[in-house]
Amino acid sequence: MKFSVSQSSLSQALAVVSKGMGSNSTLPILSGILITAAEGTLTFQTTDLTINVRHRIAAMVEEAGSTVVSGKILMNIVKTLPDAAVSFEGGERVVSISCDKSTFRLNTLDPSDFPEFPQFALGRTIELPSSLLSEMVDKVYKVTSRDTSRPILSGVLLSVEENTIRLVATDSYRLAVCDSNAETSSADEAFQTIVPGMTFHDVLTLPSMTEKVLIGTTDSQVVFVFGNTTYITRKIEGNFPNYKQLLPADCNTSVKVNVSEFASALKRVSVIALANPSVRVDIDTDGGVMKLSASSPDQGESTELLPVDVEGQSMSIALNYHYVFDCVNAAANEKEITLELLSAMQPGIFKSYAKINYLYLLMPVRM
């Protein structure tokens, strides 16, 4: 095997496939990158047996071949190299890497031991605008659960119907829903699947992402195809919770608040809430004021008043301020957000309306 490739192109390729590398695997081969050189093309592959990533780039290939090298070491080497041609030679047991005045010799693993890239025949596919989808995923993926005992809650429900894209995530304490309209390749037939939340976020932030991304499903996989990259992850099996039954038809109190002012006030008040992560929200309809307050037996207490536009009854509710911050950050680009309340013991619902409509339901905590 013998080839040369630019440092910038190689660095981007490694950044793409690094998302599939096994980080804590007991099998060294899963921490490696399979590099295959053939006819002017380099193919990079990684897998942790759950995620599989394949990416291709152009290169000057003098001699075809394949090898497996340590992904972490190769990435660390390439980061330090100047933007010049990087040459590889060898591959059976050792590969030599040279660039400018630098030379490295890395031990390699047998490529025949590397797991084969999955074969797939996509049953359903849809093509979506990647920038819009990425923005939507950013608003919901942090709400997915880290509890491995309920894998369905670690996923984001993606549904597309009549050019409406909707994403839903919940960890059973809160629920995030966002939807937007966009031209899709599935105007007539509905598309639905559940994608692991962190994976969904990772794939849309890859440097090789193109303007549109093709998403397809098999019986057990979700496949993303864009440009010269194929990214395969497991599909989460099961029925997503019926989130629509959690959404009340009306509310007793509706409060419109400036997002940046609310975020700043919440940040100041929550400084006191170290041991107890709850912030009390008191709505005064007559005064048009929202009072945020927090207290700690050891530290003291804090309060702040915010002018708001209120409709309905005066009401109080206590919320986990960490969860409220996630909501506020997701709506950071909006000027205004609406908080709808039914009672102190029922969920509070934050809503914002823009190009992406956003709903965030949050269970109250004890006052």
Side-chain angles (χ1 to χ4, degrees), residues 105-122:
R105 283 171 58 84
L106 298 185
N107 295 333
T108 63
L109 297 171
D110 187 349
S112 65
D113 292 335
F114 200 86
E116 283 190 29
F117 197 77
Q119 300 294 316
F120 58 87
L122 297 179

Side-chain angles (χ1 to χ4, degrees), residues 60-186:
M60 191 172 76
V61 178
E62 297 181 47
E63 187 179 318
S66 60
T67 190
V68 178
V69 296
S70 165
K72 187 175 181 180
I73 291 175
L74 182 58
M75 289 175 69
N76 288 338
I77 288 172
V78 173
K79 281 178 190 173
T80 64
L81 297 177
D83 190 5
V86 184
S87 299
F88 286 68
E89 188 170 357
E92 286 188 10
R93 293 188 177 180
V94 175
V95 65
S96 298
I97 305 171
S98 58
C99 177
D100 200 15
K101 299 179 178 65
S102 303
T103 304
F104 304 86
R105 283 171 58 84
L106 298 185
N107 295 333
T108 63
L109 297 171
D110 187 349
S112 65
D113 292 335
F114 200 86
E116 283 190 29
F117 197 77
Q119 300 294 316
F120 58 87
L122 297 179
R124 298 286 312 284
T125 63
I126 189 163
E127 194 172 45
L128 300 174
S130 56
S131 59
L132 174 64
L133 190 60
S134 178
E135 197 176 339
M136 293 176 70
V137 170
D138 278 347
K139 290 181 181 292
V140 302
Y141 85 98
K142 289 181 182 175
V143 178
T144 55
S145 175
R146 305 291 181 267
D147 184 358
T148 55
S149 66
R150 298 183 68 188
I152 198 77
L153 298 184
S154 69
V156 172
L157 175 67
L158 164 65
S159 62
V160 184
E161 188 171 7
E162 296 180 347
N163 288 335
T164 297
I165 308 169
R166 171 167 288 188
L167 300 181
V168 186
T170 181
D171 61 2
S172 76
Y173 299 103
R174 50 195 175 146
L175 166 76
V177 183
C178 66
D179 56 50
S180 184
N181 292 321
E183 286 295 323
T184 72
S185 60
S186 180

Side-chain angles (χ1 to χ4, degrees), residues 270-278 294-300 320-322:
S270 63
V271 169
I272 292 294
L274 298 175
N276 175 19
S278 70
S295 62
S296 166
D298 301 326
Q299 307 300 328
N320 182 312
Y321 76 85
H322 295 296

Side-chain angles (χ1 to χ4, degrees), residues 338-350:
T338 301
L339 172 60
E340 296 182 353
L341 301 173
L342 267 173
S343 74
M345 300 309 294
Q346 291 177 282
I349 298 178
F350 292 89

Side-chain angles (χ1 to χ4, degrees), residues 20 54 56 64 82 104 110 137 145-146 155 185 195 201 213-214 272 289 304 332 349 355 363-364:
R54 181 175 65 197
R56 292 189 172 99
F104 304 86
D110 187 349
V137 170
S145 175
R146 305 291 181 267
S185 60
V195 187
H201 174 260
V213 55
L214 180 78
I272 292 294
V289 172
E304 181 149 351
I349 298 178
K355 182 182 178 184
M363 298 298 291

Side-chain angles (χ1 to χ4, degrees), residues 226-333:
F226 47 97
N228 296 317
T229 307
T230 303
Y231 190 114
I232 301 176
T233 185
R234 64 183 173 85
K235 183 167 69 175
I236 298 179
E237 301 295 339
N239 295 318
F240 200 81
N242 182 8
Y243 66 93
K244 292 181 181 178
Q245 68 181 7
L246 300 174
L247 306 177
D250 54 8
C251 65
N252 292 325
T253 306
S254 176
V255 188
K256 291 181 180 177
V257 60
N258 181 280
V259 173
S260 60
E261 291 177 3
F262 182 50
S264 298
L266 187 64
K267 189 176 291 185
R268 288 188 287 270
V269 168
S270 63
V271 169
I272 292 294
L274 298 175
N276 175 19
S278 70
V279 166
R280 178 171 171 143
V281 181
D282 293 290
I283 310 298
D284 179 359
T285 301
D286 296 331
V289 172
M290 171 189 282
K291 183 173 83 168
L292 301 178
S293 57
S295 62
S296 166
D298 301 326
Q299 307 300 328
E301 58 185 38
S302 58
T303 61
E304 181 149 351
L305 301 178
L306 278 173
V308 291
D309 183 3
V310 190
E311 292 181 8
Q313 308 169 8
S314 295
M315 196 171 293
S316 301
I317 192 171
L319 301 169
N320 182 312
Y321 76 85
H322 295 296
Y323 292 165
V324 179
F325 268 129
D326 283 344
C327 169
V328 171
N329 290 335
N333 294 330

